[in-house]
Amino acid sequence: MKKFVPSVLFAFTLVFVQPVLQHLTLAQAQEGKIVPYVPTPQEIVEDMLRLANVRKGDVLYDLGSGDGRIAITAAKNYGIRAVGIDIDPDRIAEARQNAKKAGVAALVEFRLEDLFLSDFREATVVTLYLLPELNLKLRPRLFAELKPGTRIVSHQFDMGDWRPEKKLESNGRVVYFWTIPSPRRK
């Protein structure tokens, strides 16, 4: 029986623990933070895009894009160019396949990048579904790099003391909306 226990523990580690550790290693690239992949429900995706008033000519950046559903929906429903950024190569591969299936691969690009190092200055709309502390950490970059008037929409999590201009509650979920303000003149 004593020899059986280590074998069972070893098998358990190989089957259950190792895949989790591999996934966490990818996620921990975000400054040691564990960023879980939780997809945004499709009805919330559509609410986010409506709240952002997405329109022809916009360029949408989805930071933490997961399977690509926000960028793909924006391209498909509004005909705009969209860029998804994620640190998980499996999610990027899945998003690229989803864009092909949806017929919008020419409008959507998915980048395997750290969103804290990515260039998203061309965005006119930014979508987020990140952890609260990541929203707060990202906020200074949004102010510094995005043009005044750029619209930001976050699923479920706010930006601390930056009060949203709009807030939508739907099926127990919350969507927040902000606009990058013009710099104050002295």
Side-chain angles (χ1 to χ4, degrees):
M1 185 77 163
K2 290 181 182 178
K3 292 181 181 181
F4 179 72
V5 173
S7 298
V8 170
L9 289 175
F10 180 73
F12 177 80
T13 301
L14 284 178
V15 173
F16 295 104
V17 177
Q18 188 177 10
V20 170
L21 291 176
Q22 287 173 346
H23 176 71
L24 293 180
T25 301
L26 293 170
Q28 289 170 336
Q30 292 285 29
E31 307 254 330
K33 298 288 184 185
I34 297 170
V35 182
Y37 168 62
V38 180
T40 300
Q42 188 61 36
E43 66 272 9
I44 301 299
V45 169
E46 292 167 17
D47 288 342
M48 291 173 75
L49 298 174
R50 274 193 301 276
L51 195 62
N53 192 27
V54 172
R55 54 191 176 267
K56 208 105 176 119
D58 276 330
V59 178
L60 180 138
Y61 272 66
D62 184 23
L63 306 182
S65 58
D67 66 3
R69 67 182 62 199
I70 295 174
I72 291 166
T73 301
K76 192 171 183 174
N77 292 357
Y78 298 92
I80 66 167
R81 193 164 68 80
V83 178
I85 297 174
D86 206 289
I87 60 166
D88 186 335
D90 293 335
R91 295 288 74 78
I92 292 294
E94 179 183 10
R96 289 175 178 157
Q97 288 177 337
N98 291 341
K100 284 180 188 174
K101 286 179 195 170
V104 295
L107 289 173
V108 181
E109 175 187 359
F110 292 100
R111 298 180 188 165
L112 179 62
E113 294 178 352
D114 179 332
L115 63 91
F116 290 100
L117 302 174
S118 298
D119 181 357
F120 48 79
R121 289 175 289 180
E122 73 171 327
T124 58
V125 176
V126 173
T127 57
L128 309 167
Y129 185 20
L130 302 171
L131 297 172
E133 60 269 15
L134 296 180
N135 276 5
L136 290 176
K137 185 175 179 179
L138 186 61
R139 192 172 102 175
R141 279 199 65 208
L142 298 173
F143 276 104
E145 298 177 22
L146 296 174
K147 295 177 194 117
T150 301
R151 292 153 280 149
I152 300 167
V153 182
S154 176
H155 172 205
Q156 207 61 34
F157 303 112
D158 65 13
M159 295 267 193
D161 62 358
W162 185 20
R163 297 183 61 106
E165 295 166 41
K166 299 177 189 174
K167 181 177 168 182
L168 174 70
E169 295 184 28
S170 175
N171 294 326
R173 296 181 180 261
V174 182
V175 178
Y176 298 93
F177 172 84
W178 304 266
T179 305
I180 296 295
S182 297
R184 293 183 185 179
R185 295 183 186 202
K186 293 183 179 180

